[in-house]
Amino acid sequence: MAHSTHDEINLVRLIRRLEKSTLDPSWSNNGDDVWLKTLGTLQTVKYARKLLKNVELNDYDPALKNVRRYNELRMTLDRIDTFAKDVEKRVTPVPRRPEPLLPHIPIPEVPQSPEPSPPDTTTSLPQGDELVPSPMPLPTTDSLLLSPSDPPSTTISPLPTLLPASATSKATGVSVLQNTNALHSELSEQLAQMATQLKRNALHFSDSLSADKAIVEEAQQKIESNFDFMRKERVRLRDFRGKSGSTTCLVFMSVVVVTALFIFMVMLIRLTR
């Protein structure tokens, strides 16, 4: 009930404030300030409608007077809402499309690719065990243009062979074999180290299990002893509860008897005077 009364008081104050705000002559102006003020007014009207709905729901058995008052408040809110929407339609700013930036961007200059340089025809020196064939001589203009008396040439120059020497093959095979043997020996050493470390880990794990087993057995003995002690204490508590119950009844009866005797003695003394 207190919450409903609080909402009702806030509703009445809010509607009065909205009515006073609609009488402001600044609503006839144009601009963003009036538009923002209109949006705030519409939100306040929505909040007032929510308060009115809460007040009506909390009023379980409304009287005829309250129903009329609720209708008047609703009509006032409708009138304020219509006024605010009309102002909003009038002062709502028209969205403007931003100016495009593409026409203002300069066209990038395409760099011209440089002409490819003629290949180097100098003889390259061999590197390592590689065999580089010597370049063939380029044909000249005189050799390309034949006179009518010269017969066509049908000879074909043989291609140079690129086969490696036998000594180079032997040296390469020996070096590969040495690298393989070194790799095998290194892997064997690593496997031996790993096996040793694994054995150490297994021994350490077994020692840890032995220590944990002793701790678990000790804890089990303590738990069993605590269980026996708690069972004995449970039996003692049951016996003590039975004895204390009978003792409590005896004490209560004694108090009742003493109280009755005291009352009887007082009444007897008053009657014998």
Side-chain angles (χ1 to χ4, degrees):
M1 293 298 292
H3 184 68
S4 177
T5 306
H6 184 69
D7 289 343
E8 187 174 358
I9 293 173
N10 289 338
L11 177 63
V12 174
R13 292 180 178 177
L14 188 59
I15 292 177
R16 289 179 181 175
R17 193 183 308 163
L18 288 173
E19 288 180 344
K20 291 182 180 179
S21 65
T22 54
L23 300 177
D24 190 0
S26 61
W27 290 102
S28 59
N29 299 332
N30 295 328
D32 295 338
D33 297 338
V34 180
W35 179 57
L36 295 176
K37 185 178 179 181
T38 305
L39 295 179
T41 303
L42 291 175
Q43 293 296 329
T44 308
V45 170
K46 290 182 181 179
Y47 178 68
R49 291 183 187 276
K50 184 177 179 182
L51 288 179
L52 179 58
K53 185 177 180 180
N54 293 336
V55 171
E56 290 180 350
L57 291 176
N58 293 327
D59 194 357
Y60 299 103
D61 190 11
L64 182 60
K65 182 180 179 181
N66 292 338
V67 173
R68 291 178 179 176
R69 187 160 56 87
Y70 296 155
N71 291 333
E72 291 177 359
L73 294 176
R74 188 177 293 104
M75 292 175 62
T76 304
L77 289 175
D78 293 339
R79 186 172 64 255
I80 297 172
D81 190 14
T82 304
F83 173 77
K85 288 182 179 179
D86 292 340
V87 176
E88 183 186 10
K89 292 180 181 179
R90 181 174 55 84
V91 299
T92 301
V94 180
R96 297 180 180 179
R97 192 171 183 179
E99 185 179 357
L101 298 178
L102 186 59
H104 300 283
I105 299 176
I107 301 175
E109 297 180 358
V110 180
Q112 298 180 357
S113 59
E115 296 181 357
S117 59
D120 189 7
T121 58
T122 58
T123 304
S124 58
L125 298 176
Q127 297 178 357
D129 296 335
E130 298 179 356
L131 297 177
V132 181
S134 58
M136 298 176 64
L138 296 176
T140 58
T141 307
D142 298 336
S143 62
L144 291 176
L145 299 177
L146 299 176
S147 60
S149 61
D150 294 336
S153 176
T154 57
T155 61
I156 300 175
S157 62
L159 295 175
T161 59
L162 302 177
L163 297 177
S166 59
T168 305
S169 301
K170 292 181 180 180
T172 305
V174 172
S175 62
V176 170
L177 183 61
Q178 291 178 356
N179 294 332
T180 305
N181 293 333
L183 181 61
H184 285 174
S185 61
E186 184 178 358
L187 292 176
S188 300
E189 292 178 359
Q190 292 181 359
L191 289 175
Q193 293 177 1
M194 292 173 64
T196 305
Q197 186 65 30
L198 183 61
K199 184 177 180 180
R200 293 176 182 175
N201 294 338
L203 294 175
H204 178 71
F205 185 68
S206 61
D207 295 339
S208 300
L209 287 178
S210 301
D212 294 341
K213 183 179 180 181
I215 295 173
V216 170
E217 291 178 353
E218 184 179 359
Q220 183 179 2
Q221 293 177 0
K222 290 183 179 180
I223 291 173
E224 291 177 355
S225 61
N226 291 335
F227 177 73
D228 296 336
F229 177 76
M230 293 297 294
R231 186 168 57 183
K232 293 179 182 178
E233 291 296 327
R234 180 175 175 274
V235 175
R236 289 180 57 189
L237 181 61
R238 184 184 60 188
D239 298 340
F240 178 76
R241 184 175 59 185
K243 294 179 181 179
S244 63
S246 60
T247 306
T248 304
C249 292
L250 180 61
V251 171
F252 181 73
M253 293 298 296
S254 301
V255 171
V256 172
V257 170
V258 170
T259 305
L261 290 176
F262 177 74
I263 295 173
F264 178 74
M265 291 298 296
V266 171
M267 293 179 63
L268 183 62
I269 290 172
R270 288 185 177 181
L271 292 175
T272 54
R273 284 184 181 180

